[in-house]
Amino acid sequence: MGSRNLRELIRKYLSERPRNTIEISAWLANQIDSANSPSDITSILESDDQITRIGTVRKSGMRRAESPVSEWASNGWVEHHERKESGKNKER
Protein backbone atom coordinates (compact mmCIF):
# COMPACT_ATOMS: atom_id res chain seq x y z
CA MET A 1 0.00 0.00 0.00
CA GLY A 2 1.36 3.42 -0.92
CA SER A 3 2.07 6.07 1.67
CA ARG A 4 -0.77 8.25 0.35
CA ASN A 5 -3.36 5.50 0.90
CA LEU A 6 -1.79 4.63 4.22
CA ARG A 7 -2.08 8.26 5.36
CA GLU A 8 -5.74 8.39 4.36
CA LEU A 9 -6.44 5.19 6.26
CA ILE A 10 -4.70 6.52 9.37
CA ARG A 11 -6.51 9.88 9.14
CA LYS A 12 -9.88 8.10 9.17
CA TYR A 13 -8.79 6.05 12.18
CA LEU A 14 -7.65 9.17 14.04
CA SER A 15 -10.86 11.06 13.29
CA GLU A 16 -12.61 9.05 16.02
CA ARG A 17 -10.17 9.92 18.82
CA PRO A 18 -6.43 10.31 19.45
CA ARG A 19 -4.28 7.17 19.35
CA ASN A 20 -0.68 6.43 20.17
CA THR A 21 1.89 5.12 17.71
CA ILE A 22 1.68 1.56 19.04
CA GLU A 23 -2.13 1.49 18.73
CA ILE A 24 -1.90 2.81 15.17
CA SER A 25 0.75 0.27 14.24
CA ALA A 26 -1.24 -2.66 15.71
CA TRP A 27 -4.46 -1.47 14.06
CA LEU A 28 -2.73 -1.20 10.69
CA ALA A 29 -1.35 -4.72 11.04
CA ASN A 30 -4.94 -5.96 11.44
CA GLN A 31 -6.23 -3.91 8.50
CA ILE A 32 -3.55 -4.70 5.95
CA ASP A 33 -0.54 -6.96 5.65
CA SER A 34 1.78 -4.31 6.98
CA ALA A 35 5.39 -4.72 7.90
CA ASN A 36 5.61 -1.10 9.06
CA SER A 37 7.41 -0.62 12.35
CA PRO A 38 6.31 2.04 14.84
CA SER A 39 9.23 4.20 13.65
CA ASP A 40 7.96 3.90 10.05
CA ILE A 41 4.50 4.93 11.23
CA THR A 42 6.00 7.87 13.15
CA SER A 43 7.75 9.07 9.98
CA ILE A 44 4.48 8.91 8.05
CA LEU A 45 2.60 10.76 10.79
CA GLU A 46 5.24 13.46 11.17
CA SER A 47 5.19 14.19 7.45
CA ASP A 48 1.38 14.52 7.29
CA ASP A 49 0.17 18.11 7.71
CA GLN A 50 -3.33 16.90 8.63
CA ILE A 51 -2.14 14.99 11.70
CA THR A 52 -0.82 16.53 14.92
CA ARG A 53 1.33 15.09 17.70
CA ILE A 54 -0.62 16.04 20.81
CA GLY A 55 1.56 14.50 23.48
CA THR A 56 3.22 11.39 24.78
CA VAL A 57 2.19 8.50 26.97
CA ARG A 58 4.56 6.58 29.21
CA LYS A 59 2.55 3.39 29.60
CA SER A 60 0.69 2.07 26.61
CA GLY A 61 0.28 -1.58 27.51
CA MET A 62 3.74 -2.41 26.20
CA ARG A 63 6.09 -4.53 28.23
CA ARG A 64 9.02 -2.23 27.59
CA ALA A 65 7.48 1.17 28.03
CA GLU A 66 10.60 2.91 29.28
CA SER A 67 10.49 5.53 26.58
CA PRO A 68 7.42 7.64 25.88
CA VAL A 69 5.19 6.87 22.91
CA SER A 70 3.73 9.73 20.85
CA GLU A 71 0.00 10.32 20.81
CA TRP A 72 -1.56 11.57 17.56
CA ALA A 73 -4.83 13.19 16.52
CA SER A 74 -6.33 14.49 13.32
CA ASN A 75 -6.31 18.27 12.97
CA GLY A 76 -10.12 18.18 12.78
CA TRP A 77 -10.32 16.42 16.14
CA VAL A 78 -7.93 18.94 17.71
CA GLU A 79 -9.85 21.94 16.33
CA HIS A 80 -13.18 20.54 17.51
CA HIS A 81 -11.93 19.95 21.04
CA GLU A 82 -10.16 23.32 21.23
CA ARG A 83 -13.50 24.99 20.53
CA LYS A 84 -15.17 23.01 23.32
CA GLU A 85 -12.42 24.01 25.76
CA SER A 86 -12.58 27.69 24.84
CA GLY A 87 -16.35 27.62 25.39
CA LYS A 88 -15.89 26.18 28.87
CA ASN A 89 -13.34 28.86 29.74
CA LYS A 90 -15.76 31.63 28.73
CA GLU A 91 -18.45 30.28 31.06
CA ARG A 92 -16.18 30.51 34.12
Side-chain angles (χ1 to χ4, degrees), residues 15 17 19 22 28-29 31-33 52 65-66 70-71 82 84-85:
S15 68
R17 67 180 179 90
R19 315 277 181 162
I22 304 303
L28 279 174
Q31 299 299 308
I32 58 174
D33 289 334
T52 302
E66 296 92 22
S70 294
E71 190 167 20
E82 283 178 346
K84 278 186 173 181
E85 287 299 317

Side-chain angles (χ1 to χ4, degrees), residues 77-88:
W77 187 93
V78 171
E79 289 170 9
H80 177 75
H81 286 83
E82 283 178 346
R83 274 183 264 163
K84 278 186 173 181
E85 287 299 317
S86 66
K88 285 181 184 178

Side-chain angles (χ1 to χ4, degrees), residues 4-5 13 16 21-22 29 37 46 48 54 57-58 64 69-71 74 87 89:
R4 175 189 249 182
N5 292 334
Y13 184 56
E16 299 169 13
T21 309
I22 304 303
S37 70
E46 286 175 336
D48 192 322
I54 60 171
V57 288
R58 289 250 176 233
R64 296 183 187 187
V69 176
S70 294
E71 190 167 20
S74 66
N89 291 336

